[in-house]
Amino acid sequence: MIWQRVMTLIQERGWKYFVYKVVMKFCRQIDSFDFTTARKPLPEFVYMGVTPTNNPEIETLRLRDSDDYALELPFKGNLHVKKSAIAAIIHIYYPELSSEILRYLRHIPLTTDLYISTDTDAKKSEILQQFSHYGNGSIVVKVVANRGRDIAPMLVGFKDVFDTYDYFIHLHSKKSPHSDGGLLDWRQYLFENLLGSEAIVRSHLYLLEHHVGVVFPQHFAPLRININWGYDFTMLKQLLKRMGVALNSEQLLEFPSGSMFWGRTDAIKPLLDLELSYSDFPRESGQIDGTLAHAIERSFLYVCEIAHYKWAKVARREYYPLKKTLLPTSVEQIDTLLPRVYRPLFNRYVDGGGRLDSTLPEYSRYNTYPSSCSKPRLNLMVPTINAKEIFGGIATALRVYNALQTALGHACDYRIIVDIGKISEETKANFPRYHFATNVIDDTVAMQVVETVEHKQLHIRKDDLFLATAWWTASSALYLLEDQERFFNVSHKLLYLIQDYESHFNAWSASWIFAENTYKASERIIAILNSEELALFMSRRYDFYDTYYLPYTINAGIQKQLQSVTRKRQILFYGRPTVARNTFDIIVDALALWQKRNPITSQSWQIVSLGEQYPDTYVSHVEHLHIMGKAPLHEYATLLSESMIGISLMVSPHPSYPPLEMAYAGMKTITNSYEGKDLSQRSDTIVSLDILSVEAIAETLERLCDEIETNGFSTTEHGVSALDIDMKPFCAQQLSDSLWS
């Protein structure tokens, strides 16, 4: 019994999960050891610990210094940018810095209108005098309340300005008086990296023209240790909640420290839409943290992603000491280098800590990255493609995928995402046109297989379509669609090959809930239902966006190899002890009962078990039984041709293939009904039991054997009928014509 449970666990969840369960059982005996709650950042990341003054409330997830890359300024190559007016939104609290700011602004090669805020009329007069010779655009100077530092004047005082411009730069007269002189060079560092030369400005604008929403200088080196949540997490969480986004403390923190940056106006629109007012900001009292302005400073990149844009960090080599993390950049390399700089903030960069990570390892969410490749792509999501691990469900998935690939042709690329099994070398030979990878850097490959067992990372294109083939792949795919919508502001449907009512595989459990949730996302799903019976069952329960069904057809390889031979007194049954819905225990006990009731006639009958290997102790009480396991196709066809009786049960609305294949080959076949499923409607050779029990199967088997002994074996071969249902049969060409419409 223990061996059966071990084999079941390994076959359903894999060796890694089995080893994990053994280790966990051992660890539970040791009170001082419990790693179910351990949080482990991915290798490039680290937690900045809590300190009394620097990071007083919660830990902060950050990139390690050695993995925190920036694009090196200025970029090489043709930095041509379109002619477009720019808004420079500048808060000048210290008017004595006006001439310095003006000197840097002269490096902008395009018309730039200045919108300057300050807090007194006297400062306004001084600023106007300093900028009197500015000739590259208009100037507006506004006196505002001394609230919210440089943030409130931009988002409240000049909110209407953003309606007029595509691009802007945000600056302020930074002195950092609270630093006791430790950050005196910070302002120069920011100005040099934002406006240090015309080539630097053009580099920023080039990024903004290529779907980057915010560009900001890499963190000032002396400040790196202070990049944390501070006292601002709760306020930031509330701010993002108003934008419809939930923040948690395990998300990566990244922001333009110093709050100076280049941006697209669309990239901060969710923040502008909050309609903040000056009264939302506290009066100025020298605060160094814990205000709405500090929370907004930490929000800019989250807002940028909410608005469907990427962000980028840049730096000049002469001003940044961590030289190895600066990526020399040409315009031709930006698409290749940007993934090393931009880390989507809503990804999950921490492993462990949740029960589902251990109890349902297949239920996982990918870390995703927006691809710059514009070619449409069809993605098949399957547990494995190894030949020895492929049963009917995966074989059907590959058949549907290949049919769509034939219909789509060279109009799109193709990717197979393997989420559980390790891909064998033998398998690679079966997919000669595909490039195999575990961690994809180049997303322009036309045909690839990505193994994601250890690296849950995927690039997503704007026109990626996903074909899910099991509930957990559908669950992952729905998350991928969310990420795709956040990256590109598109809303594609999910192709969902529903091969059975998977909720009931998992008996009122978390798996049951998650499987059910995938069906309930019906408005996003184009369902491809794997049989007429299943299509009728699912359509009564769920209102999918669109629905197709796969009419049953005999496997072409089986059909070709069926033979007209003399039948043997042989019973073929589908025996898979690891799959509960195939009711292995009921079948073998029914066979044993039939033999006990017919001790003489049963001696002339052989029994063959197909499906999977298992210990012979499972069937030690059944005589004349041979365990064949998963048979090659030609051997399976031979067994179908020469056997007289078949038994294949499926406690679900899907008929499964074996009973229909047995009936097609002319065998007398015993199966079961299920909520409207009655396979006897398809063939006179099928007996569909309404009440499934050991006794019912034994009695039916006895009756069929008696009929054969009395009347001889006779049957109508190749007699499985189609069911006429009011639904669209799957047609790859018809479906492919509408996929991206």
Side-chain angles (χ1 to χ4, degrees):
M1 192 64 186
I2 293 175
W3 174 249
Q4 181 179 0
R5 291 178 63 190
V6 168
M7 290 301 296
T8 299
L9 197 63
I10 291 171
Q11 291 203 32
E12 289 186 346
R13 300 291 179 85
W15 277 103
K16 282 189 175 181
Y17 181 76
F18 170 69
V19 172
Y20 174 86
K21 295 295 282 187
V22 171
V23 173
M24 284 302 301
K25 190 169 183 64
F26 171 74
C27 290
R28 287 193 187 100
Q29 311 304 316
I30 308 172
D31 291 339
S32 62
F33 194 99
D34 179 14
F35 62 82
T36 59
T37 58
R39 295 181 305 163
K40 183 181 178 183
L42 298 183
E44 311 99 295
F45 301 86
V46 65
Y47 271 114
M48 306 294 288
V50 173
T51 61
T53 56
N54 181 32
N55 190 35
E57 293 192 307
I58 58 173
E59 293 179 316
T60 303
L61 184 68
R62 295 280 302 123
L63 275 162
R64 295 182 184 276
D65 286 354
S66 57
D67 293 289
D68 190 3
Y69 293 98
L71 303 176
E72 183 181 346
L73 292 171
F75 301 162
K76 298 178 178 64
N78 182 6
L79 291 169
H80 174 76
V81 292
K82 67 181 181 181
K83 290 187 176 181
S84 177
I86 295 168
I89 300 175
I90 311 166
H91 183 64
I92 300 181
Y93 184 78
Y94 302 105
E96 62 270 26
L97 296 178
S98 297
S99 60
E100 180 181 343
I101 293 171
L102 177 59
R103 186 174 72 252
Y104 280 104
L105 287 171
R106 295 190 189 282
H107 292 148
I108 302 177
L110 304 178
T111 300
T112 304
D113 297 329
L114 309 185
Y115 295 89
I116 302 172
S117 56
T118 191
D119 64 326
T120 69
D121 288 329
K123 290 180 182 179
K124 175 180 177 179
S125 298
E126 186 175 349
I127 291 166
L128 284 170
Q129 183 179 357
Q130 292 282 351
F131 281 84
S132 60
H133 297 295
Y134 179 74
N136 196 32
S138 62
I139 302 176
V140 174
V141 181
K142 182 184 290 189
V143 176
V144 299
N146 190 15
R147 288 172 177 257
R149 304 281 173 86
D150 56 296
I151 301 295
M154 174 176 67
L155 299 179
V156 180
F158 290 124
K159 177 180 179 295
D160 58 327
V161 168
F162 291 94
D163 296 333
T164 309
Y165 300 86
D166 292 330
Y167 307 138
F168 70 94
I169 183 171
H170 179 236
L171 304 168
H172 58 99
S173 57
K174 188 168 191 62
K175 278 194 174 182
S176 302
H178 62 278
S179 68
D180 296 326
L183 300 176
L184 287 177
D185 296 329
W186 190 7
R187 182 180 70 252
Q188 182 191 13
Y189 174 82
L190 293 172
F191 285 174
E192 285 291 337
N193 282 295
L194 289 167
L195 294 161
S197 69
E198 180 178 329
I200 287 172
V201 172
R202 286 184 177 275
S203 298
H204 283 274
L205 293 173
Y206 190 89
L207 285 174
L208 295 180
E209 287 187 3
H210 289 78
H211 208 75
V212 175
V214 172
V215 190
F216 61 100
Q218 174 64 285
H219 303 293
F220 186 46
L223 194 72
R224 291 191 64 86
I225 196 171
N226 297 321
I227 304 301
N228 53 52
W229 294 115
Y231 287 98
D232 307 310
F233 178 82
T234 300
M235 205 175 305
L236 175 55
K237 177 187 172 185
Q238 293 168 348
L239 196 70
L240 294 181
K241 186 176 182 180
R242 293 173 64 184
M243 302 178 208
V245 172
L247 180 70
N248 72 69
S249 60
E250 287 192 350
Q251 283 172 301
L252 177 66
L253 176 65
E254 191 59 87
F255 62 96
S257 51
S259 67
M260 295 196 218
F261 56 93
W262 283 92
R264 296 179 63 112
T265 55
D266 286 349
I268 65 165
K269 190 175 185 303
L271 193 54
L272 296 168
D273 288 345
L274 295 183
E275 299 286 348
L276 297 172
S277 66
Y278 282 111
S279 62
D280 293 316
F281 295 84
R283 294 185 181 277
E284 179 60 40
S285 59
Q287 306 99 317
I288 62 173
D289 200 3
T291 70
L292 179 58
H294 290 97
I296 289 174
E297 179 184 19
R298 286 160 174 78
S299 81
F300 283 124
L301 302 188
Y302 290 107
V303 174
C304 176
E305 292 191 18
I306 292 168
H308 318 296
Y309 285 100
K310 294 178 278 195
W311 47 263
K313 287 191 279 192
V314 294
R316 297 177 64 175
R317 185 166 292 273
E318 60 266 41
Y319 288 98
Y320 191 65
L322 302 179
K323 311 295 185 187
K324 291 183 179 179
T325 62
L326 291 181
L327 305 175
T329 305
S330 67
V331 293
E332 294 81 13
Q333 294 174 300
I334 286 174
D335 286 343
T336 303
L337 296 177
L338 197 55
R340 300 179 68 184
V341 176
Y342 166 54
R343 306 297 184 104
L345 301 180
F346 292 101
N347 276 344
R348 182 184 179 189
Y349 298 116
V350 179
D351 280 338
R355 285 290 299 160
L356 289 173
D357 292 318
S358 56
T359 59
L360 274 181
E362 68 269 33
Y363 177 71
S364 59
R365 183 166 184 168
Y366 289 94
N367 280 338
T368 55
Y369 187 87
S371 172
S372 59
C373 185
S374 59
K375 192 172 183 180
R377 177 169 56 188
L378 178 66
N379 298 264
L380 173 67
M381 302 179 72
V382 285
T384 182
I385 55 172
N386 292 331
K388 293 179 180 178
E389 299 164 355
I390 292 177
F391 288 90
I394 296 175
T396 302
L398 288 167
R399 191 167 71 247
V400 169
Y401 171 72
N402 289 333
L404 287 169
Q405 187 177 131
T406 299
L408 291 165
H410 297 293
C412 67
D413 290 342
Y414 301 92
R415 178 169 64 174
I416 300 175
I417 301 166
V418 177
D419 71 340
I420 291 181
K422 281 269 191 182
I423 299 171
S424 68
E425 291 302 316
E426 178 186 0
T427 295
K428 293 179 181 180
N430 296 331
F431 293 83
R433 294 190 297 161
Y434 282 82
H435 171 76
F436 285 77
T438 55
N439 192 6
V440 177
I441 299 299
D442 182 6
D443 194 50
T444 63
V445 178
M447 301 182 75
Q448 59 181 330
V449 176
V450 183
E451 180 188 292
T452 64
V453 181
E454 296 179 356
H455 300 280
K456 291 290 183 181
Q457 303 176 53
L458 286 175
H459 281 65
I460 297 182
R461 298 181 186 177
K462 181 178 180 179
D463 285 323
D464 264 327
L465 284 182
F466 297 95
L467 172 58
T469 58
W471 74 260
W472 64 89
T473 64
S475 184
S476 295
L478 288 168
Y479 282 126
L480 291 174
L481 292 180
E482 286 183 13
D483 292 347
Q484 186 182 49
E485 187 168 357
R486 188 176 72 252
F487 290 146
F488 302 109
N489 195 23
V490 295
S491 182
H492 291 312
K493 304 302 180 187
L494 170 63
L495 293 175
Y496 192 175
L497 174 58
I498 300 174
Q499 312 219 46
D500 210 328
Y501 184 43
E502 291 186 273
S503 303
H504 278 185
F505 294 2
N506 302 289
W508 318 117
S509 62
S511 299
W512 186 93
I513 292 169
F514 294 142
E516 195 69 17
N517 288 346
T518 65
Y519 305 139
K520 289 179 178 177
S522 53
E523 73 284 350
R524 297 213 69 169
I525 289 173
I526 297 174
I528 304 172
L529 297 158
N530 190 19
S531 75
E532 295 93 323
E533 288 86 355
L534 181 62
L536 291 171
F537 177 90
M538 297 298 286
S539 63
R540 288 195 294 267
R541 285 163 171 75
Y542 308 99
D543 185 19
F544 297 117
Y545 174 81
D546 202 0
T547 305
Y548 297 82
Y549 74 93
L550 291 173
Y552 171 74
T553 56
I554 186 71
N555 179 290
I558 295 174
Q559 183 182 35
K560 184 178 180 180
Q561 297 184 65
L562 288 175
Q563 308 162 37
S564 294
V565 296
T566 302
R567 302 270 178 175
K568 299 178 181 178
R569 284 180 171 81
Q570 186 164 275
I571 299 167
L572 201 60
F573 81 93
Y574 194 53
R576 295 181 69 189
T578 63
V579 182
R581 61 189 178 278
N582 291 135
T583 64
F584 173 83
D585 298 335
I586 293 178
I587 295 175
V588 295
D589 281 3
L591 288 167
L593 179 59
W594 166 72
Q595 288 179 337
K596 291 172 185 175
R597 288 179 174 177
N598 302 274
I600 299 172
T601 57
S602 66
Q603 295 296 314
S604 62
W605 287 83
Q606 297 297 312
I607 302 171
V608 178
S609 173
L610 286 174
E612 65 185 38
Q613 287 288 348
Y614 50 84
D616 56 12
T617 53
Y618 289 11
V619 289
S620 58
H621 59 311
V622 182
E623 298 178 345
H624 313 298
L625 190 152
H626 172 60
I627 303 168
M628 192 165 185
K630 192 173 188 295
L633 202 63
H634 68 280
E635 292 184 21
Y636 179 44
T638 298
L639 288 166
L640 291 174
S641 300
E642 66 185 19
S643 301
M644 290 185 174
I645 296 175
I647 305 174
S648 180
L649 306 180
M650 185 70 148
V651 186
S652 81
H654 179 51
S656 83
Y657 299 126
L660 296 176
E661 290 163 349
M662 292 171 179
Y664 185 89
M667 297 170 61
K668 306 289 187 182
T669 305
I670 302 172
T671 188
N672 62 284
S673 61
Y674 184 97
E675 283 195 45
K677 177 180 77 173
D678 180 2
L679 297 190
S680 65
Q681 295 177 357
R682 288 183 176 267
S683 173
D684 293 338
T685 65
I686 294 177
V687 179
S688 185
L689 300 175
D690 291 328
I691 297 176
L692 191 57
S693 66
V694 170
E695 291 77 10
I697 295 172
E699 289 170 6
T700 304
L701 184 56
E702 182 175 348
R703 176 172 61 80
L704 293 177
C705 289
D706 287 347
E707 289 176 0
I708 291 171
E709 295 296 337
T710 302
N711 304 318
F713 183 84
S714 64
T715 186
T716 303
E717 293 189 7
H718 310 162
V720 174
S721 303
L723 294 184
D724 184 18
I725 65 174
D726 186 19
M727 206 173 292
K728 291 179 292 189
F730 172 73
C731 172
Q733 189 62 59
Q734 179 185 356
L735 179 55
S736 66
D737 288 342
S738 62
L739 285 180
W740 282 277
S741 61

